[in-house]
Amino acid sequence: MAKYDGLLGQPLLEIEDPDKEGGITFIMKDNRFLFIKMVDGKIETVSIPE
């Protein structure tokens, strides 16, 4: 979880509806994106930029 420390305290601008893969996108004020989806019963996350 240390790679997500930069997201702590960042204001959340928008939460986008699930995409075609069923993932949810969180858009932060500092232009970071956090993608979250379920893969084989586990949560998979991707942060851009990391």
Side-chain angles (χ1 to χ4, degrees):
M1 287 309 236
K3 74 180 194 176
Y4 297 113
D5 284 348
L7 295 175
L8 293 174
Q10 289 297 324
L12 184 62
L13 289 181
E14 187 174 342
I15 300 174
E16 292 185 353
D17 292 332
D19 58 17
K20 63 183 176 187
E21 296 178 11
I24 297 173
T25 303
F26 294 89
I27 303 172
M28 309 297 173
K29 186 174 182 180
D30 67 350
N31 288 326
R32 292 180 201 224
F33 292 78
L34 179 63
F35 304 99
I36 301 174
K37 67 179 178 177
M38 295 293 291
V39 177
D40 296 325
K42 297 181 181 180
I43 296 174
E44 182 178 287
T45 61
V46 176
S47 176
I48 300 176
E50 290 190 45

